[in-house]
Amino acid sequence: MKHFLLASLMLGFASMGYANTVNNTNTFVKKHTRVLSEEERFTVNNFTFTVQNAENRSVSLTKYTGTTDKEVTVPAEISYNNDTYNIKEIAFGAFKGASTIEKVTLADGIEVIGWSAFTECTKLKNITLPSSLIHIAENAFSDCTALNEIMIPEHVSLGSNVFNNCSSLTKVVIGEGLEILPEGTFSNCTSLSSVSLPNSLTEISMSAFSYCSSLKTLEIPKNIDAIDEYAFEETMLENIYLHQNALQISTLPAAWASSTNATIYVPQGMQPQFEEAKESWKRFTIKEWDEKNTTTSIQRTNLSLTKDIKRIYTLQGTVIQQLQKGFNILLFQNGKTQKVWVE
């Protein structure tokens, strides 16, 4: 009986010791996997993050500290302290002045590119924007003087001067969903020669294309109802393609002050109406055009998919797997793009 009681007591003490060990271990784990609170910061590799929402584990990339990278990929998630956080934003000035970066890939899941996030990244040539993107804030890419092409996904809103002074930017495709092209969006993009605007666009704001001296041809989307003063200041357009609603567009001669020798192409049968229209249009040379059969700056082709084509886009900026009937935008292996009509 004594032996039985002694064994029981020993077993009890052992159990208490085991329980304390487990509890201490749990305390240790909890302590070292503590969920960070909002506004707390942490650093992984060359990225510094700030917690936006502790409950949803969302963070903002607030600073890039690398000095030698040529290519940078920002993932959708980041692991820290035995926990996983979702990267939702590239914050104000996060990459500002990163002078070595040539290529940036933003993973699907990132929603916001903040004010001046990539400004003065003077060697940045290429950036891949995710389909999850919702907003690009003011001056996000201003003074990225090596950036040469940009494809903006569908349903992305823009702040002002987003691509101001991107002097090497040659081609732009903007996906459907954007309604207002803000002030100064592409001002001083002196190499810009090809622009595809979405049909959702209703307004082109002041100085949106000012000093785009290489832009000679532009199709104005069919739902535009306002083009502000100086929208094309010092941009000497030569060919302007309009749709049926153009007679209702609110615009002033000052919007086109530098395009004195431009020809405007209007839908078939509408030339007399434009010739009698307000001063904004009647001072131009007016011709009619058939959208499907025009060959001016828009090539009409029976082109088939070849190994030279790297990617195919709709006019809205959506990637598609094969050529479709109507307009397509082709990105070739050499980096050049072309807008084509396929029968």
Side-chain angles (χ1 to χ4, degrees), residues 93-114:
F95 286 85
K96 181 179 180 179
S99 60
T100 64
I101 297 177
E102 297 179 7
K103 181 179 180 181
V104 172
T105 301
L106 303 181
D108 203 36
I110 295 170
E111 297 178 348
V112 176
I113 297 175

Side-chain angles (χ1 to χ4, degrees), residues 212-213 215-216 232 234-238 258-259:
C212 293
S213 54
L215 187 60
K216 304 301 180 185
F232 297 94
E234 295 300 324
T235 298
M236 291 168 277
L237 288 165
E238 296 175 359
S258 303
S259 302

Side-chain angles (χ1 to χ4, degrees), residues 104 106 113 127-133 136 141 150-153 163:
V104 172
L106 303 181
I113 297 175
I127 183 162
T128 301
L129 302 178
S131 59
S132 56
L133 196 62
I136 304 175
F141 296 96
I150 194 74
M151 302 284 294
I152 300 175
F163 297 100

Side-chain angles (χ1 to χ4, degrees), residues 12 62 70 100 153 161 178 186 189 210 235 237 246 266 305 336 341:
T62 51
K70 288 186 176 181
T100 64
N161 299 298
L178 180 69
F186 298 106
C189 292
S210 63
T235 298
L237 288 165
V266 302
L305 188 61
K336 294 183 177 181
W341 172 268

